[in-house]
């Protein structure tokens, strides 16, 4: 049985809107889930996003790649909810200016750890580190795209990403045998 | 290059964002530094853990609540397998049957409905469809758009794509329909004669 697909005009406005949103829903769901931490709040957040997106449906249907626009709005709605719930900590980013020393552990850590334990450790990160890690390593956004999404300079994001990775490795390496070495590499700096 | 620089800027260095020489230095450093190799390997493991997070998949019930008209999705078409695997035949057919003209107001233009039958051996999700229109044609409802891009799924078997056109004059080129999926693409071109053969409902008045 053949199935028909129509272009926007043949669709009702609501159907055209849903057709434009549909390809992005899985990624937006994962983001919402990671922002909020549980499915119920994630769905509430996505419903807020859908309401906001409906108001801007013309913009969405005209964008070649509305994914970053939707992700940016989702993040801002998440921050609004976070603030309303009193969860915003003004001191969260005080470590941005601190340098992270290079790891000298010569053994990999995470391949010996169960995935759920790694994810639990991700959820223990400070929000500003967790966010960039989820967007970059989890969703594949580049730092430039993330910068546009959450209005944080790429240099700061780079530091937060490195700090997040280092924190997870350090936390999960505790209790395991470690081997360190001073870096002997030369040639090129 | 030292370990801190490499670990801090790992992604950009390996992606070549700082230039070819820096990328080569990064690879050289990794080849000689077990600590940085362990760091880079753990970054890959972390990415896989985040990407494989099964709990991150959207439940069907949630999708139904958020996109009631799109669940289950009216699958569009086409030949995905085409796109994906060599040896899987994709058949594109222009269906000759004409649909009734949609306009009722007097007009100098002609309406034409182009239907493409897209055969697919596999079901594909999130296929990108791109439509390029020649001068002398308009997509109904989008008078200023010469191209339109959207995403949809393709079902196994026959899928039909209906393209409602308004012919404001003689088409000045080919209509191009392009499908892309997983880095592969497939094109179908309709000549001006093939487009106008589907014209119906010549009007007599002026378009306002």
């Amino acid at each position: 049985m053949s199935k028909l697909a129509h272009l926007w005009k043949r669709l009702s406005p609501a159907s055209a809107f849903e057709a434009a949103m549909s390809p992005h829903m899985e990624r937006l769901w994962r983001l919402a889930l990671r922002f909020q931490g549980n499915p119920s709040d994630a769905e509430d957040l996505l419903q807020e996003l859908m309401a906001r997106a409906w108001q801007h449906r013309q913009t969405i249907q005209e964008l070649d790649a509305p994914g970053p626009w939707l992700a940016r709005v989702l993040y801002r709605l998440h921050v609004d909810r976070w603030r309303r719930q009193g969860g915003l900590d003004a001191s969260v980013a005080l470590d941005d200016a601190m340098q992270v020393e290079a790891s000298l552990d010569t053994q990999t850590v995470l391949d010996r750890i169960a995935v759920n334990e790694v994810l639990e450790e991700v959820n223990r990160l400070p929000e500003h580190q967790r966010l960039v890690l989820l967007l970059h390593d989890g969703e594949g956004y580049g730092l430039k795209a993330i910068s546009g999404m959450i209005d944080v300079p790429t240099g700061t994001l780079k530091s937060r990403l490195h700090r997040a990775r280092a924190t997870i490795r350090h936390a999960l390496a505790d209790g395991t045998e470690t081997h360190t070495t001073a870096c002997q590499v030369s040639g090129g700096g | 290059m030292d370990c801190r620089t490499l670990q801090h800027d790992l992604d950009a260095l390996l992606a070549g964002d700082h230039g070819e020489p820096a990328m080569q230095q990064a690879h050289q450093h990794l080849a000689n530094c077990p600590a940085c190799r362990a760091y880079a390997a753990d970054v890959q493991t972390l990415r896989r853990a985040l990407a494989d997070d099964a709990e991150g998949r959207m439940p069907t019930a949630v999708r139904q609540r958020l996109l009631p008209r799109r669940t289950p999705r009216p699958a569009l078409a086409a030949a995905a397998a085409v796109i994906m695997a060599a040896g899987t035949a994709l058949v594109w057919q222009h269906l000759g049957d004409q649909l009734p003209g949609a306009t009722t107001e007097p007009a100098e233009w002609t309406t034409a409905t182009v239907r493409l039958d897209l055969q697919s051996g596999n079901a594909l999700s999130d296929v990108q469809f791109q439509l390029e229109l020649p001068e002398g044609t308009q997509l109904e409802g989008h008078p200023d758009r010469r191209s339109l891009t959207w995403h949809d799924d393709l079902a196994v078997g026959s899928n039909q794509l209906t393209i409602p056109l308004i012919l404001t004059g003689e088409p000045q080129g080919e209509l191009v329909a392009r499908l892309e999926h997983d880095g592969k693409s497939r094109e179908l071109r309709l000549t001006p004669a093939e487009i106008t053969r589907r014209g119906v409902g010549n009007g007599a008045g002026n378009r306002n």
Side-chain angles (χ1 to χ4, degrees):
Chain A
M1 178 69 71
S2 296
K3 297 176 180 178
L4 285 175
H6 299 267
L7 297 179
W8 304 132
K9 182 57 181 180
R10 288 288 174 97
L11 299 173
S12 68
S15 292
F17 170 71
E18 291 190 6
M21 293 292 294
S22 181
H24 307 283
M25 293 304 290
E26 282 294 336
R27 176 178 261 193
L28 292 169
W29 169 256
R30 284 198 305 274
L31 279 179
L33 193 57
R34 284 167 170 166
F35 287 160
Q36 294 292 304
N38 67 79
S40 176
D41 287 342
E43 184 175 348
D44 288 347
L45 184 65
L46 263 192
Q47 284 179 338
E48 284 186 49
L49 174 69
M50 297 293 280
R52 185 69 59 89
W54 172 257
Q55 295 169 359
H56 298 276
R57 57 189 179 279
Q58 191 68 31
T59 299
I60 291 170
Q61 290 171 14
E62 288 175 358
L63 287 173
D64 285 337
W69 187 93
L70 291 166
R72 185 167 57 246
V73 174
L74 186 75
Y75 170 71
R76 288 173 181 168
L77 290 171
H78 160 64
V79 171
D80 288 345
R81 287 168 65 89
W82 200 22
R83 285 178 172 144
R84 284 200 301 271
Q85 294 162 6
L88 186 64
D89 180 353
S91 67
V92 290
L94 291 179
D95 57 0
D96 280 345
M98 297 168 59
Q99 289 194 343
V100 183
E101 293 303 316
S103 169
L104 300 181
D105 190 344
T106 60
Q107 299 295 307
T108 55
V109 174
L110 304 188
D111 56 347
R112 289 173 280 161
I113 307 293
V115 169
N116 66 318
E117 289 183 56
V118 174
L119 297 176
E120 284 174 12
E121 206 58 48
V122 170
N123 288 332
R124 290 192 191 97
L125 289 170
E127 182 60 20
H128 61 295
Q129 291 178 23
R130 193 177 73 96
L131 177 66
V132 67
L133 184 72
L134 293 176
L135 291 172
H136 189 278
D137 285 357
E139 297 301 323
Y141 288 108
L143 291 178
K144 190 175 178 183
I146 299 171
S147 176
M149 199 183 298
I150 65 176
D151 293 329
V152 174
T154 55
T156 302
L157 292 174
K158 195 177 292 182
S159 295
R160 291 181 184 179
L161 179 62
H162 179 39
R163 186 178 299 278
R165 291 165 170 172
T167 299
I168 289 171
R169 289 187 85 220
H170 180 74
L172 293 174
D174 281 352
T176 63
E177 186 179 4
T178 60
H179 305 267
T180 63
T181 183
C183 188
Q184 302 289 322
V185 178
S186 61
Chain B
M1 182 173 294
D2 58 27
C3 294
R4 186 188 173 280
T5 300
L6 186 130
Q7 292 180 21
H8 182 263
D9 217 3
L10 178 70
D11 305 277
L13 284 166
L14 294 184
D17 292 350
H18 297 317
E20 184 72 19
M23 184 168 65
Q24 289 178 356
Q25 287 174 20
H27 282 295
Q28 183 181 6
H29 182 104
L30 283 170
N32 293 287
C33 177
C36 285
R37 278 203 304 279
Y39 179 88
D42 275 345
V43 167
Q44 290 302 316
T45 304
L46 180 57
R47 283 180 174 153
R48 282 196 297 273
L50 291 168
D52 293 344
D53 182 7
E55 293 181 359
R57 294 187 188 120
M58 188 178 212
T60 301
V62 173
R63 190 180 186 93
Q64 283 176 332
R65 286 191 288 272
L66 294 172
L67 297 177
R69 291 173 181 79
R70 303 283 297 169
T71 312
R73 292 186 239 173
L76 210 205
V82 171
I83 304 170
M84 301 190 68
T88 303
L90 173 58
V91 180
W92 298 72
Q93 293 178 324
H94 314 200
L95 300 186
D97 52 328
Q98 296 174 342
L99 298 182
T103 181
T104 56
E105 58 183 316
E108 288 183 326
W109 67 85
T110 304
T111 60
T113 300
V114 173
R115 299 174 68 199
L116 305 179
D117 186 21
L118 309 172
Q119 299 282 336
S120 177
N122 293 338
L124 293 183
S125 62
D126 199 19
V127 176
Q128 177 174 290
F129 292 76
Q130 186 175 15
L131 202 60
E132 294 177 4
L133 303 175
E135 290 293 331
T137 67
Q138 292 181 2
L139 187 63
E140 191 181 310
H142 296 267
D144 301 323
R145 303 286 293 272
R146 294 257 64 84
S147 68
L148 192 70
T149 302
W150 74 101
H151 292 77
D152 209 326
D153 297 347
L154 301 178
V156 176
S158 176
N159 299 263
Q160 292 183 23
L161 172 62
T162 301
I163 306 172
L165 295 177
I166 295 172
L167 307 184
T168 57
E170 196 65 26
Q172 300 300 304
E174 293 178 326
L175 181 151
V176 181
R178 183 178 297 112
L179 281 73
E180 293 187 14
H181 185 270
D182 198 23
K184 298 178 181 176
S185 64
R186 185 83 174 186
E187 265 189 9
L188 176 66
R189 294 175 176 269
L190 289 177
T191 65
E194 289 174 315
I195 297 170
T196 52
R197 269 206 301 273
R198 287 156 180 78
V200 294
N202 289 317
N206 295 317
R207 184 182 184 184
N208 297 313

